[in-house]
Amino acid sequence: MAVFLYDDDCGFCKRMVALARDRLGARTEFAAWQDTDLDALGLTPEQTSEAAWVVYPDGRRFGGGDAVAEVLLHSRPLVRPVGRLMRLPLLRSANRLAYRWVAANRYRLPGGTASCALPQP
């Protein structure tokens, strides 16, 4: 089973994980990156603080919008087509762009707090 890594310091992220798990029925393990052995998954704290990640047991990793698509692919049957659509080339680009906007503005979104803001470069 894949593991979805999220930021436990972010209220918006925790809210979205609860939505995926409880409403969408995602068959994915959810873990805060802060409580995970990132070295074992081939990720760094910098990568995981900037984007959510899905990591499969075989080592495949998907970050950002691609991680969201992977979670949707393993959710309730009515949601899976959305995940498949998000993987199509043109929609993948739009998905990645939308994810970057949400990530940059997550502290402004429902459930977000000042601690949700991404570190400035």
Side-chain angles (χ1 to χ4, degrees):
M1 178 182 291
V3 61
F4 181 88
L5 300 173
Y6 67 95
D7 185 351
D8 194 40
D9 292 333
C10 176
F12 175 76
C13 296
K14 290 194 285 190
R15 192 172 185 172
M16 293 301 102
V17 164
L19 174 84
R21 185 182 52 238
D22 303 338
R23 302 280 181 158
L24 302 180
R27 294 186 323 260
T28 303
E29 181 182 336
F30 294 93
W33 69 262
Q34 294 91 335
D35 300 329
T36 303
D37 180 3
L38 298 178
D39 287 335
L41 300 177
L43 294 169
T44 65
E46 292 78 20
Q47 289 173 301
T48 53
S49 68
E50 292 175 4
W53 287 84
V54 165
V55 181
Y56 286 94
D58 64 8
R60 291 177 296 143
R61 296 185 307 254
F62 297 88
D66 296 337
V68 173
E70 292 297 311
V71 169
L72 295 177
L73 284 170
H74 300 285
S75 295
R76 296 188 197 284
L78 290 174
V79 180
R80 291 178 199 157
V82 176
R84 282 193 285 280
L85 286 172
M86 290 170 72
R87 293 171 114 194
L88 295 174
L90 286 176
L91 294 178
R92 180 182 295 153
S93 296
N95 172 32
R96 289 174 177 171
L97 240 156
Y99 181 89
R100 282 195 298 272
W101 184 89
V102 168
N105 292 282
R106 63 188 185 170
Y107 65 98
R108 296 179 178 151
L109 300 172
T113 64
S115 65
C116 297
L118 291 176
Q120 295 301 314

